PDB file of all heavy atoms in Angstrom:
ATOM      1  N   LEU J  96      -0.777   4.116  -0.417  1.00 93.00           N
ATOM      2  CA  LEU J  96       0.445   4.059   0.289  1.00 93.00           C
ATOM      3  C   LEU J  96       0.913   2.637   0.439  1.00 93.00           C
ATOM      4  O   LEU J  96       2.188   2.367   0.177  1.00 93.00           O
ATOM      5  CB  LEU J  96       0.344   4.722   1.702  1.00 93.00           C
ATOM      6  CG  LEU J  96      -0.022   6.209   1.768  1.00 93.00           C
ATOM      7  CD1 LEU J  96      -0.075   6.625   3.210  1.00 93.00           C
ATOM      8  CD2 LEU J  96       1.040   7.007   0.999  1.00 93.00           C
ATOM      9  N   LEU J  97       0.114   1.728   0.784  1.00 93.00           N
ATOM     10  CA  LEU J  97       0.437   0.326   0.880  1.00 93.00           C
ATOM     11  C   LEU J  97       0.889  -0.278  -0.446  1.00 93.00           C
ATOM     12  O   LEU J  97       1.800  -1.076  -0.543  1.00 93.00           O
ATOM     13  CB  LEU J  97      -0.683  -0.512   1.486  1.00 93.00           C
ATOM     14  CG  LEU J  97      -1.048  -0.122   2.928  1.00 93.00           C
ATOM     15  CD1 LEU J  97      -2.184  -0.964   3.414  1.00 93.00           C
ATOM     16  CD2 LEU J  97       0.168  -0.499   3.890  1.00 93.00           C
ATOM     17  N   GLY J  98       0.200   0.166  -1.501  1.00 94.00           N
ATOM     18  CA  GLY J  98       0.539  -0.320  -2.897  1.00 94.00           C
ATOM     19  C   GLY J  98       1.935   0.084  -3.211  1.00 94.00           C
ATOM     20  O   GLY J  98       2.736  -0.678  -3.849  1.00 94.00           O
ATOM     21  N   ILE J  99       2.284   1.378  -3.039  1.00 94.00           N
ATOM     22  CA  ILE J  99       3.623   1.842  -3.357  1.00 94.00           C
ATOM     23  C   ILE J  99       4.702   1.167  -2.494  1.00 94.00           C
ATOM     24  O   ILE J  99       5.687   0.730  -2.966  1.00 94.00           O
ATOM     25  CB  ILE J  99       3.681   3.385  -3.169  1.00 94.00           C
ATOM     26  CG1 ILE J  99       2.651   4.118  -4.116  1.00 94.00           C
ATOM     27  CG2 ILE J  99       5.111   3.864  -3.288  1.00 94.00           C
ATOM     28  CD1 ILE J  99       2.642   5.592  -3.878  1.00 94.00           C
ATOM     29  N   ALA J 100       4.370   1.026  -1.256  1.00 93.00           N
ATOM     30  CA  ALA J 100       5.333   0.298  -0.326  1.00 93.00           C
ATOM     31  C   ALA J 100       5.597  -1.020  -0.736  1.00 93.00           C
ATOM     32  O   ALA J 100       6.682  -1.583  -0.828  1.00 93.00           O
ATOM     33  CB  ALA J 100       4.871   0.421   1.139  1.00 93.00           C
ATOM     34  N   GLY J 101       4.488  -1.769  -1.092  1.00 92.00           N
ATOM     35  CA  GLY J 101       4.653  -3.186  -1.542  1.00 92.00           C
ATOM     36  C   GLY J 101       5.508  -3.245  -2.844  1.00 92.00           C
ATOM     37  O   GLY J 101       6.313  -4.147  -2.968  1.00 92.00           O
ATOM     38  N   ALA J 102       5.261  -2.334  -3.806  1.00 93.00           N
ATOM     39  CA  ALA J 102       6.044  -2.389  -5.022  1.00 93.00           C
ATOM     40  C   ALA J 102       7.504  -2.050  -4.707  1.00 93.00           C
ATOM     41  O   ALA J 102       8.361  -2.715  -5.383  1.00 93.00           O
ATOM     42  CB  ALA J 102       5.454  -1.290  -6.011  1.00 93.00           C
ATOM     43  N   LEU J 103       7.799  -1.180  -3.810  1.00 92.00           N
ATOM     44  CA  LEU J 103       9.204  -0.855  -3.475  1.00 92.00           C
ATOM     45  C   LEU J 103       9.881  -2.088  -2.872  1.00 92.00           C
ATOM     46  O   LEU J 103      11.035  -2.493  -3.303  1.00 92.00           O
ATOM     47  CB  LEU J 103       9.254   0.247  -2.452  1.00 92.00           C
ATOM     48  CG  LEU J 103       8.950   1.660  -3.000  1.00 92.00           C
ATOM     49  CD1 LEU J 103       8.916   2.725  -1.835  1.00 92.00           C
ATOM     50  CD2 LEU J 103       9.980   2.079  -3.965  1.00 92.00           C
ATOM     51  N   PHE J 104       9.176  -2.719  -1.957  1.00 89.00           N
ATOM     52  CA  PHE J 104       9.826  -3.929  -1.256  1.00 89.00           C
ATOM     53  C   PHE J 104      10.001  -5.107  -2.247  1.00 89.00           C
ATOM     54  O   PHE J 104      11.051  -5.728  -2.236  1.00 89.00           O
ATOM     55  CB  PHE J 104       8.950  -4.371  -0.133  1.00 89.00           C
ATOM     56  CG  PHE J 104       9.238  -3.636   1.141  1.00 89.00           C
ATOM     57  CD1 PHE J 104       8.722  -2.409   1.438  1.00 89.00           C
ATOM     58  CD2 PHE J 104      10.097  -4.190   2.135  1.00 89.00           C
ATOM     59  CE1 PHE J 104       8.989  -1.741   2.596  1.00 89.00           C
ATOM     60  CE2 PHE J 104      10.360  -3.568   3.299  1.00 89.00           C
ATOM     61  CZ  PHE J 104       9.849  -2.278   3.572  1.00 89.00           C
ATOM     62  N   GLN J 105       8.969  -5.305  -3.062  1.00 89.00           N
ATOM     63  CA  GLN J 105       9.053  -6.468  -4.010  1.00 89.00           C
ATOM     64  C   GLN J 105      10.152  -6.181  -5.103  1.00 89.00           C
ATOM     65  O   GLN J 105      10.763  -7.047  -5.618  1.00 89.00           O
ATOM     66  CB  GLN J 105       7.713  -6.698  -4.581  1.00 89.00           C
ATOM     67  CG  GLN J 105       6.780  -7.287  -3.540  1.00 89.00           C
ATOM     68  CD  GLN J 105       5.350  -7.381  -4.098  1.00 89.00           C
ATOM     69  OE1 GLN J 105       5.098  -7.356  -5.320  1.00 89.00           O
ATOM     70  NE2 GLN J 105       4.363  -7.533  -3.147  1.00 89.00           N
ATOM     71  N   THR J 106      10.231  -4.907  -5.472  1.00 88.00           N
ATOM     72  CA  THR J 106      11.252  -4.560  -6.531  1.00 88.00           C
ATOM     73  C   THR J 106      12.677  -4.706  -5.998  1.00 88.00           C
ATOM     74  O   THR J 106      13.518  -5.328  -6.573  1.00 88.00           O
ATOM     75  CB  THR J 106      11.052  -3.125  -6.973  1.00 88.00           C
ATOM     76  OG1 THR J 106       9.776  -2.977  -7.614  1.00 88.00           O
ATOM     77  CG2 THR J 106      12.164  -2.726  -8.052  1.00 88.00           C
ATOM     78  N   VAL J 107      12.901  -4.152  -4.752  1.00 85.00           N
ATOM     79  CA  VAL J 107      14.178  -4.227  -4.152  1.00 85.00           C
ATOM     80  C   VAL J 107      14.666  -5.666  -3.823  1.00 85.00           C
ATOM     81  O   VAL J 107      15.809  -6.029  -4.036  1.00 85.00           O
ATOM     82  CB  VAL J 107      14.225  -3.394  -2.873  1.00 85.00           C
ATOM     83  CG1 VAL J 107      15.522  -3.568  -2.095  1.00 85.00           C
ATOM     84  CG2 VAL J 107      14.150  -1.864  -3.320  1.00 85.00           C
ATOM     85  N   THR J 108      13.703  -6.480  -3.300  1.00 82.00           N
ATOM     86  CA  THR J 108      14.127  -7.826  -2.926  1.00 82.00           C
ATOM     87  C   THR J 108      13.946  -8.837  -3.962  1.00 82.00           C
ATOM     88  O   THR J 108      14.358  -9.993  -3.868  1.00 82.00           O
ATOM     89  CB  THR J 108      13.187  -8.282  -1.758  1.00 82.00           C
ATOM     90  OG1 THR J 108      11.815  -8.310  -2.191  1.00 82.00           O
ATOM     91  CG2 THR J 108      13.341  -7.378  -0.526  1.00 82.00           C
ATOM     92  N   ARG J 109      13.257  -8.397  -5.126  1.00 81.00           N
ATOM     93  CA  ARG J 109      12.967  -9.270  -6.249  1.00 81.00           C
ATOM     94  C   ARG J 109      12.243 -10.541  -5.768  1.00 81.00           C
ATOM     95  O   ARG J 109      12.499 -11.637  -6.316  1.00 81.00           O
ATOM     96  CB  ARG J 109      14.282  -9.669  -6.898  1.00 81.00           C
ATOM     97  CG  ARG J 109      15.084  -8.518  -7.441  1.00 81.00           C
ATOM     98  CD  ARG J 109      16.495  -8.967  -8.000  1.00 81.00           C
ATOM     99  NE  ARG J 109      17.272  -7.873  -8.326  1.00 81.00           N
ATOM    100  CZ  ARG J 109      18.562  -7.977  -8.618  1.00 81.00           C
ATOM    101  NH1 ARG J 109      19.139  -9.154  -8.658  1.00 81.00           N
ATOM    102  NH2 ARG J 109      19.292  -6.963  -8.893  1.00 81.00           N
ATOM    103  N   ASN J 110      11.364 -10.304  -4.928  1.00 80.00           N
ATOM    104  CA  ASN J 110      10.517 -11.462  -4.367  1.00 80.00           C
ATOM    105  C   ASN J 110       9.131 -11.014  -4.295  1.00 80.00           C
ATOM    106  O   ASN J 110       8.807 -10.019  -3.531  1.00 80.00           O
ATOM    107  CB  ASN J 110      11.070 -11.847  -2.984  1.00 80.00           C
ATOM    108  CG  ASN J 110      10.476 -13.194  -2.540  1.00 80.00           C
ATOM    109  OD1 ASN J 110       9.363 -13.506  -2.744  1.00 80.00           O
ATOM    110  ND2 ASN J 110      11.341 -14.053  -1.994  1.00 80.00           N
ATOM    111  N   PRO J 111       8.113 -11.589  -4.873  1.00 80.00           N
ATOM    112  CA  PRO J 111       6.776 -11.175  -4.829  1.00 80.00           C
ATOM    113  C   PRO J 111       6.029 -11.395  -3.494  1.00 80.00           C
ATOM    114  O   PRO J 111       4.998 -10.926  -3.235  1.00 80.00           O
ATOM    115  CB  PRO J 111       6.013 -12.131  -5.943  1.00 80.00           C
ATOM    116  CG  PRO J 111       6.917 -13.245  -6.011  1.00 80.00           C
ATOM    117  CD  PRO J 111       8.277 -12.818  -5.716  1.00 80.00           C
TER     118      PRO J 111
END
Side-chain angles (χ1 to χ4, degrees):
L96 296 179
L97 293 176
I99 295 175
L103 287 174
F104 274 82
Q105 293 172 16
T106 298
V107 169
T108 61
R109 302 174 188 171
N110 193 320

